[in-house]
Amino acid sequence: MTIIYVVTIRFSSNPQFSLHSRNCRMASTSHPPMAFSGSLASKTSASDLLRSSRNGVCGVPLKALGRARLGSKKRDFTVSAKVRKVKKHEYPWPEDPDLNVKGGVLSHLSPFKPLKEKQKPVTLDFEKPLMDLQKKIIDVQKMANETGLDFSDQIISLENKYQQALKDLYTHLTPIQRVNIARHPNRPTFLDHIFNITEKFVELHGDRAGYDDPAIVTGLGTINGRSYMFMGHQKGRNTKENIQRNFGMPTPHGYRKALRMMYYADHHGFPIITFIDTPGAYADLKSEELGQGEAIAHNLRTMFGLKVPIISIVMGEGGSGGALAIGCANKLLMLENAVFYVASPEACAAILWKTAKASPKAAEKLKITATELCKLQIADGFIPEPLGGAHADPYWTSQQIKIAIEESMDELTKMDTQELLRHRMLKFRKLGGFQEGVPIDPKRKVNMKKKEEPILPPGIPDVELMDEVEKLKQEILKAKESSGKIPESGLNGMIEKLRREIDFEFSEAAKALGLEEKFVMAREEFAKTRNSNDQSMHPVLKEKLDQLKEEFNRNISAAPNYASLKNKLDMLQEMAKAQKLSEKNSKVNKLKEEINKRLKEIMNRPDLKEKIDKLKAEIDSTGVSTAMDLDQGLKEKIVQLKDEMETEFAGVFESLGLNVNPASLPDAKRKIDEFNNEITTVMEDVVSSTDLKNKIELLKMEVAKAGKTADAESKAKIQALEQQIKKSLAEAMSFPELKDKHEKLKAEIVETVESPEGSNGSLLADNDGPKSEVEFNVDANRSFA
């Protein structure tokens, strides 16, 4: 509060003295108002501020006139003062005018002044290792000062370590660490940057509706002689300022003030520069009542129609619509450690992962940092910050902002009005992307969310299910007749529906038989066993489950829904068979296509075609009509070419996991099968012997007991049992009778393969090209009907 003295002067009736107040004035317009504090006696009296124009004297205090001229007349008037307390008018005039400008014209009208007390340093969690190094440096310097010893080498080494650690830390920041830097309490604010980059700045206030929101600051300023309209979010530098500025969260009045300045700048042709640093628009009840959403929407619409260049700079955090309301610009620039988001990482984590502790993961997924947004072409560039963040060197950061503004503005001022508006429109139109009438890439379509079909509640009547199954059967038959492909989607859907129905029927049956509680308890015990480290089921639990299963199967026929359950099980079994058949047919078709493709590639090889044509020409030149009339040389060439082609074909089949048997060896194949059956019989007899059977059972028990993490003793036991079993099998296979049969069979197969009978004339069967009849068996990995 300021004490103002109100002065009352009473004069005598002496006509020789009068005070003409209309001729009195203040000595200088640059003086502050008549405001006093403290004792009246210790200051210049109120009468000294008045001036007289009598006898042409101006600017002389009345006290001096009284001493010089009035003499005894001094007692003819009295001076009395009344003290009245009024509220100090702090804004907009600062205490001292600009001394560099004649006439006392003020350089700015903002009440923003340097803080009287220096901001306390704030250490972020990830910066604590740096603080430990800094503390060591201080301790060594203190020790050097106290002892007088030279520790310069140690200090230099520690400082180098500190600088390297600082560089490593700030060049590999995580997204959540950048969020924390953007929210740093000592980070320079909008007005800090403004007074660092402008020569003159005049703040403009009010939305012309009776309000002035301090969270948004607007004003005119100059950079290198060029005038701009500045507007931005203003946070506080301490608790008191943050409360005054509402922590940088604007109300509708702030956005309407910014809108007024946009119209003003557009009318006078001032380029607009906006600074963004807000968690978001203030979302209290009063702001909503006053039209927060309407104010933001009005700003968005207006900014796209402004005919002057607009540059937006995100200097801290840009939150949602509160940031976008002054961010629809031709160029969006971001400080290196700034963030720009729709929802804060904490809010995103609370929605998706139900806990704010997942904010680091959310910050990474949201792509809210300057580098990520530049890749997405949302931001047009980022402005570098010093190591340690913008608060480490605010002036240097401000100069980098100034350079970025000048470069961007030089580019935008070259555009005419229509080009400028189109540039701003296309900047936002290119974000994201969509296509109409273009088929979706199959790879993308796989990852797209499938359309959710309504899940029917369990308990569908059997009649409806049977009708659906019959319709599906008809569709499968029609598909087989037309294309040979079974509709897998409908089949899979029906199987899932039947499984849900069967689960429901089983549950109802368990309830009716009074076994529901036993099943629940068994399920819980089984889940505990699976979650424990011991993956093998406990014998007691296994026995309990077997007993429960046996009891359920024994009494299931007494359940009231037994008929319905059996009917649905039959339908499921039938659908499962159809599904297996469909899968087999699909595998066969794919395998056939692959075989035909590979064989076609071999037949189209230039070297093989040349050999076939050359051999055909030789055969045609002989003039014979049957293969028996060919000479021995041509027969050998035909057999050689046939063997070469069969080798190529066999390589194709083997690469696809197929076993190839030549078509000319049916008898050999039969003998091999008989020999294999005999070996299998011998093996079964050996395995069924008491000694070997006990060893196999013992091996199974040891393997189950050892589990996944077997110790050295268990491994040794398992290996010893395996060696004993292998030795027993090898002894069984070394019978003389089996060896003799194997040698005889091997000799017969070799003799049959080397014999050219029945295969030397196969090339003459068709004039279109050579053919090789092969018969293949599918191994255990590939089976089809």
Side-chain angles (χ1 to χ4, degrees), residues 220-230 269-273 409:
L220 288 170
T222 59
I223 300 177
N224 293 336
R226 184 186 290 178
S227 298
Y228 299 96
M229 174 63 75
F230 294 96
F270 294 134
I272 298 173
I273 300 173
M409 199 55 68

Side-chain angles (χ1 to χ4, degrees), residues 7 17 34 38 51 119 176 244 271 274 298 323 343 350 370 392 506 528 542 544 590 623 628 700 720 765 771:
V7 181
F17 178 79
M34 292 187 295
R51 300 293 180 263
Q119 288 177 299
I176 194 63
Q244 180 190 356
T274 66
H298 200 171
F506 271 119
K528 289 179 182 178
K542 185 177 180 182
K544 188 185 293 186
K590 288 181 181 178
M628 301 299 296
K700 288 181 179 180
K771 289 185 179 180

Side-chain angles (χ1 to χ4, degrees), residues 101-222:
V101 181
K102 293 181 180 180
V105 178
L106 300 174
S107 63
H108 61 82
L109 302 179
S110 175
F112 187 83
K113 297 177 184 178
L115 292 174
K116 295 179 181 179
E117 297 179 0
K118 192 175 181 180
Q119 288 177 299
K120 295 180 181 179
V122 177
T123 303
L124 301 175
D125 290 338
F126 65 90
E127 293 178 324
K128 288 180 180 178
L130 296 176
M131 295 302 104
D132 295 339
L133 277 173
Q134 199 172 29
K135 186 179 180 182
K136 287 182 182 179
I137 295 171
I138 294 170
D139 291 342
V140 174
Q141 288 176 342
K142 186 178 179 181
M143 188 184 300
N145 295 333
E146 291 176 352
T147 60
L149 299 176
D150 185 13
F151 291 103
S152 58
D153 293 340
Q154 289 85 346
I155 293 172
I156 291 171
S157 176
L158 287 171
E159 286 178 347
N160 290 337
K161 285 183 180 179
Y162 177 81
Q163 292 298 328
Q164 186 62 38
L166 182 67
K167 184 178 180 181
D168 292 342
L169 180 62
Y170 274 84
T171 51
H172 301 90
L173 289 171
T174 61
I176 194 63
Q177 289 173 347
R178 293 193 187 274
V179 172
N180 293 331
I181 295 172
R183 295 171 177 171
H184 199 285
N186 298 342
R187 195 169 177 85
T189 63
F190 166 59
L191 287 173
D192 286 317
H193 291 306
I194 286 297
F195 291 132
N196 283 336
I197 67 176
T198 59
E199 297 91 20
K200 293 181 182 179
F201 177 74
V202 178
E203 185 178 349
L204 303 175
H205 293 267
D207 62 350
R208 292 299 184 266
Y211 295 95
D212 181 29
D213 187 359
I216 284 189
V217 174
T218 61
L220 288 170
T222 59

Side-chain angles (χ1 to χ4, degrees), residues 79 106 535 573 765:
V79 178
L106 300 174
Q535 296 296 325
Q573 188 175 5

Side-chain angles (χ1 to χ4, degrees), residues 364-638:
E364 185 178 354
K365 298 294 183 183
L366 283 171
K367 310 291 184 187
I368 58 178
T369 58
T371 52
E372 292 291 346
L373 292 173
C374 287
K375 290 178 184 177
L376 296 172
Q377 297 183 350
I378 294 173
D380 297 292
F382 66 88
I383 302 169
E385 293 185 27
L387 292 177
H391 54 280
D393 193 347
Y395 183 78
W396 187 88
T397 307
S398 299
Q399 296 310 307
Q400 300 306 309
I401 293 174
K402 182 178 179 181
I403 293 169
I405 290 173
E406 290 178 336
E407 291 178 355
S408 300
M409 199 55 68
D410 290 340
E411 179 184 348
L412 295 176
T413 50
K414 294 177 183 178
M415 302 180 185
D416 58 19
T417 302
Q418 294 302 322
E419 190 178 358
L420 195 69
L421 292 172
R422 180 173 175 78
H423 178 273
R424 195 180 308 147
M425 182 268 295
L426 291 177
K427 171 180 170 52
F428 287 87
R429 288 287 292 177
K430 72 179 180 181
L431 299 182
F434 61 91
Q435 291 179 325
E436 294 181 359
V438 179
I440 301 173
D441 185 7
K443 292 182 180 179
R444 286 184 59 198
K445 194 171 183 179
V446 169
N447 297 325
M448 292 176 67
K449 185 178 179 182
K450 295 181 179 180
K451 185 179 180 181
E452 296 181 356
E453 297 182 358
I455 300 175
L456 296 175
I460 303 174
D462 293 355
V463 179
E464 293 183 14
L465 278 176
M466 290 179 68
D467 291 342
E468 292 183 19
V469 170
E470 287 298 326
K471 288 180 182 178
L472 185 59
K473 284 181 181 179
Q474 295 298 327
E475 290 179 7
I476 292 173
L477 291 174
K478 289 180 181 177
K480 279 185 177 180
E481 292 174 359
S482 59
S483 62
K485 294 182 179 179
I486 297 175
E488 295 183 3
S489 59
L491 189 60
N492 294 336
M494 178 56 67
I495 289 174
E496 288 297 324
K497 187 184 291 186
L498 285 170
R499 283 176 179 169
R500 288 198 302 269
E501 289 294 321
I502 290 169
D503 289 341
F504 174 74
E505 295 292 347
F506 271 119
S507 300
E508 292 297 317
K511 288 180 184 178
L513 298 173
L515 300 174
E516 186 180 12
E517 293 184 2
K518 291 184 179 181
F519 274 112
V520 172
M521 292 175 64
R523 192 182 298 116
E524 291 177 356
E525 292 180 14
F526 182 70
K528 289 179 182 178
T529 306
R530 291 187 63 183
N531 294 332
S532 63
N533 295 328
D534 187 10
Q535 296 296 325
S536 60
M537 187 182 297
H538 196 275
V540 176
L541 178 60
K542 185 177 180 182
E543 184 180 358
K544 188 185 293 186
L545 290 175
D546 291 340
Q547 291 177 358
L548 185 60
K549 181 179 178 182
E550 184 182 355
E551 183 181 359
F552 182 78
N553 291 333
R554 187 172 61 250
N555 300 324
I556 186 66
S557 58
N561 61 336
Y562 174 70
S564 176
L565 175 60
K566 191 174 183 304
N567 190 18
K568 290 175 181 178
L569 281 171
D570 293 339
M571 286 189 284
L572 178 62
Q573 188 175 5
E574 191 175 359
M575 291 293 103
K577 287 181 181 179
Q579 188 182 36
K580 287 182 180 179
L581 181 61
S582 173
E583 291 175 356
K584 285 183 180 180
N585 290 337
S586 177
K587 287 182 181 179
V588 170
N589 292 332
K590 288 181 181 178
L591 189 59
K592 285 181 179 178
E593 290 176 2
E594 186 65 22
I595 291 172
N596 292 332
K597 181 181 176 183
R598 298 277 187 92
L599 294 180
K600 190 175 181 181
E601 289 176 357
I602 293 173
M603 297 299 297
N604 290 332
R605 273 173 35 192
D607 58 336
L608 193 60
K609 276 188 174 182
E610 185 179 355
K611 289 180 182 179
I612 293 171
D613 294 340
K614 188 176 180 181
L615 189 58
K616 279 184 177 181
E618 290 184 16
I619 294 171
D620 293 340
S621 64
T622 58
V624 297
S625 59
T626 63
M628 301 299 296
D629 297 334
L630 292 174
D631 58 5
Q632 190 65 25
L634 278 175
K635 287 181 179 180
E636 290 178 357
K637 287 183 180 181
I638 292 172

Side-chain angles (χ1 to χ4, degrees), residues 289-350:
E289 289 175 352
L290 293 172
Q292 184 74 281
E294 184 271 342
I296 293 174
H298 200 171
N299 280 27
L300 297 178
R301 184 185 67 181
T302 302
M303 291 190 78
F304 280 102
L306 297 177
K307 300 175 183 178
V308 293
I310 306 175
I311 297 175
S312 291
I313 299 169
V314 184
M315 56 182 180
E317 55 178 338
S320 191
L324 199 60
I326 59 171
C328 298
N330 296 94
K331 292 278 186 180
L332 178 66
L333 307 176
M334 296 180 67
L335 286 180
E336 188 177 358
N337 294 318
V339 291
F340 198 54
Y341 51 72
V342 174
S344 66
E346 292 81 6
C348 177

Side-chain angles (χ1 to χ4, degrees), residues 37 91 118 276 280 294 305 386 391 451 643 650 695 738 775:
S37 61
Y91 182 78
K118 192 175 181 180
I276 297 170
E294 184 271 342
H391 54 280
K451 185 179 180 181
D643 292 341
K695 288 181 181 179
L738 287 176
E775 181 179 3

